[in-house]
Amino acid sequence: MSEPFQPPLRIGILGTARIARAFIDGVTDSQRVTVTAVASRDAVRAAAFARESAIARHFGSYEALLADPDIDAVYIPLPNSLHAEWSIRAARAGKHVLCEKPLSATAGEARDMFDAARRHRVHIVEGYPYRAQPQTLKLRGMLDAGLIGEVRLIQASFGFTLDSGANIRWSSQLAGGALMDIGSYPVSLVRMIAKNRPRRVHAIAQWTDGGVDSALAATLEFADGLIAQIACSFGTSLHRQALIAGTHGTIQTTYLNHTSTPLQAALQLRVGADRDAVDSTVQTSPVNGFLAEAESFERLIRQGPTQWSGTTPEESVDIMLTIEAMLESARSGGTIDIPAA
Ligand SMILES: NC(=O)c1ccc[n+]([C@@H]2O[C@H](COP(=O)([O-])OP(=O)(O)OC[C@H]3O[C@@H](n4cnc5c(N)ncnc54)[C@H](OP(=O)(O)O)[C@@H]3O)[C@@H](O)[C@H]2O)c1
């Protein structure tokens, strides 16, 4: 049976971020969502951005956009330190929120955001476009079906070269750093697979003079014995890779946000516990992750939580608890315990 027609979900964007342009490009052909407005701290910048991106309305402050009754939801690609404040203000204004990763600067902020969402009867979710990719949906299905047995070890890394110019990622005030920016991806992947938060973490990091981590590597141990190793860096060539090793095989994934070629959308599967294991490529469809994510967000709002492929509130809080513990470990040199849920 086909779904009854509904007009597209009307999304407003807070800030003229670089990534907002990619989001707009991604959703441009969607029948389910439409970007109807953008706001900037600067009215001239908002007008220019709206003109360049063919957005109907623009506002010279975030407050003004939130006051617009013709907007159903907001996409928040602000610096990490502002995610909590503006998500909570959006919830108070009755808007649903698709907030960029990482959800917040601390686990406490994440909890405050979900409290606000409950109070104001809206959804706040953290956007990791890879979570809506067919590649990731297939991965989850394969793991749940026990194709590689019990997962015992995960190695996941994400790095690229960030030049030394002005960038929110170099600012400790804006909650930058490699772990918050790109390390949050492998942390979220491991949380998705483990279905639990780690019980303890140990990390080392390299630090900038400004006090953010430019590279970090960590070991995470889970209560059921699963071990994960996570690495991220602003000083390597671009890579994004994860190896998931179970008692009866392995899976490798790129966990990419956007897959434009069949190769990028494939999973590498090895089934068998020994040298006679059988290798195969599991093909999935290439997809723009922003489109898949935004349409899953629309279905969450209109059809309910089972339609959302992204992180649950519990996962987002656990991701922030893990990130906080990793940073504390890297600063102190000690192993940090994370209390059980
Ligand atoms: N999912 C993904 O693929 C992906 C990729 C990249 C980034 N991200 C996430 O998206 C967010 C934005 O990243 P970005 O690289 O696009 O950022 P960006 O280009 O630096 O944009 C951030 C925007 O925030 C607004 N802003 C408000 N207060 C600010 C302040 N004190 N300093 C700087 N900007 C401020 C600015 O807009 P106005 O001045 O116009 O208000 C600015 O355009 C981050 O949370 C990041 O983790 C996600």
Side-chain angles (χ1 to χ4, degrees):
M1 209 172 70
S2 62
E3 290 175 37
F5 173 78
Q6 284 198 292
L9 185 81
R10 299 163 302 178
I11 298 181
I13 299 182
L14 300 189
T16 55
R18 257 171 300 204
I19 202 61
R21 293 180 192 271
F23 179 85
I24 293 162
D25 285 350
V27 304
T28 189
D29 291 330
S30 176
Q31 306 291 308
R32 290 182 173 274
V33 304
T34 179
V35 175
T36 55
V38 63
S40 170
R41 295 171 295 172
D42 179 304
V44 174
R45 196 155 56 238
F49 187 98
R51 193 172 54 249
E52 286 158 21
S53 306
I55 296 175
R57 294 201 310 286
H58 50 89
F59 298 94
S61 75
Y62 305 155
E63 290 91 341
L65 187 148
L66 293 182
D68 184 341
D70 292 330
I71 291 172
D72 305 311
V74 291
Y75 169 60
I76 300 190
L78 294 172
N80 304 333
S81 59
L82 299 178
H83 289 180
E85 175 189 346
W86 286 100
S87 294
I88 291 169
R89 291 174 79 151
R92 276 194 208 123
K95 313 294 185 201
H96 301 282
V97 176
L98 173 58
C99 181
E100 266 302 343
K101 43 52 60 178
L103 185 72
S104 53
T106 65
E109 282 187 357
R111 289 192 176 106
D112 290 346
M113 291 162 83
F114 293 123
D115 283 348
R118 266 188 296 275
R119 253 197 325 278
H120 299 286
R121 296 172 187 277
V122 295
H123 293 284
I124 295 179
V125 288
E126 179 181 20
Y128 286 102
Y130 82 89
R131 286 284 304 249
Q133 280 280 350
Q135 187 193 45
T136 308
L137 302 180
K138 184 73 185 174
L139 169 70
R140 294 176 74 178
M142 287 160 68
L143 293 172
D144 286 345
L147 216 58
I148 62 165
E150 192 185 339
V151 176
R152 308 301 297 156
L153 190 68
I154 305 170
Q155 290 181 312
S157 182
F158 188 172
F160 75 105
T161 305
L162 180 64
D163 67 37
S164 56
N167 193 303
I168 59 171
R169 289 161 185 76
W170 292 128
S171 166
S172 60
Q173 258 192 336
L174 299 179
L179 179 58
M180 292 289 277
D181 187 46
I182 45 178
S184 54
Y185 281 96
V187 171
S188 71
L189 181 79
V190 165
R191 173 60 181 81
M192 181 188 84
I193 296 168
K195 298 189 166 119
N196 204 346
R197 60 177 70 152
R199 71 172 177 192
R200 57 183 185 149
V201 308
H202 190 92
I204 57 159
Q206 293 162 351
W207 302 95
T208 67
D209 293 344
V212 300
D213 57 307
S214 56
L216 186 143
T219 303
L220 283 54
E221 187 191 37
F222 291 78
D224 65 0
L226 167 68
I227 288 176
Q229 291 181 310
I230 285 176
C232 56
S233 173
F234 283 153
T236 67
S237 57
L238 177 64
H239 71 279
R240 181 154 158 167
Q241 209 77 54
L243 170 72
I244 302 148
T247 49
H248 202 67
T250 62
I251 302 175
Q252 291 181 63
T253 175
T254 57
Y255 64 115
L256 284 167
N257 282 350
H258 314 291
T259 48
S260 51
T261 66
L263 196 62
Q264 293 173 343
L267 294 160
Q268 303 305 324
L269 172 67
R270 170 169 290 188
V271 176
D274 213 335
R275 287 190 195 160
D276 57 357
V278 177
D279 288 299
S280 61
T281 298
V282 178
Q283 193 59 58
T284 66
S285 319
V287 160
N288 180 296
F290 284 132
L291 176 62
E293 174 184 88
E295 293 198 339
S296 176
F297 178 58
E298 184 263 354
R299 289 194 299 272
L300 161 72
I301 291 165
R302 289 178 168 163
Q303 297 173 29
T306 59
Q307 300 298 310
W308 172 240
S309 58
T311 52
T312 62
E314 293 73 28
E315 284 179 295
S316 290
V317 169
D318 286 352
I319 291 165
M320 288 316 305
L321 280 170
T322 308
I323 287 176
E324 277 188 286
M326 288 162 84
L327 289 172
E328 189 184 340
S329 170
R331 283 195 193 98
S332 68
T335 296
I336 304 298
D337 293 327
I338 301 177

